[in-house]
């Protein structure tokens, strides 16, 4: 399952997430949209929260 998020700079968000080994997708038609797979458990949610902090 995936979810799309609007962000001021999707490429920068993707780079930040990638440094934490969280893969995402930016869309070539919009610099503001980012797609992430939904974390499957509490540990994965915590890892995503840490990457975004």
């Amino acid at each position: 399952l995936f979810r799309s998020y609007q962000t001021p700079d999707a490429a920068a968000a993707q780079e930040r997430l990638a440094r934490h080994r969280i893969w995402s997708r930016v869309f070539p038609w919009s610099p503001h949209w980012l797609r992430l797979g939904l974390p499957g458990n509490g540990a994965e949610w915590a890892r995503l929260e840490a990457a975004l902090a």
Side-chain angles (χ1 to χ4, degrees), residues 2-3 5-6 11 13 15 20-21 23 26-27 38-41 44 46-49 53:
F2 297 93
R3 180 151 183 201
Y5 298 91
Q6 188 171 10
E15 185 175 321
H20 293 272
R21 297 183 183 205
W23 310 130
V26 295
F27 298 96
L38 294 176
N41 59 42
E44 291 175 0
R47 188 168 151 234
L48 177 59
E49 287 177 15

Side-chain angles (χ1 to χ4, degrees), residues 3-16:
R3 180 151 183 201
S4 296
Y5 298 91
Q6 188 171 10
T7 181
D9 186 346
Q14 182 184 45
E15 185 175 321
R16 182 176 186 168

Side-chain angles (χ1 to χ4, degrees), residues 21-46:
R21 297 183 183 205
I22 298 173
W23 310 130
S24 60
R25 177 180 181 202
V26 295
F27 298 96
W29 44 265
S30 174
H32 304 290
W33 285 97
L34 181 74
R35 186 176 82 171
L36 292 174
L38 294 176
N41 59 42
E44 291 175 0
W45 278 105

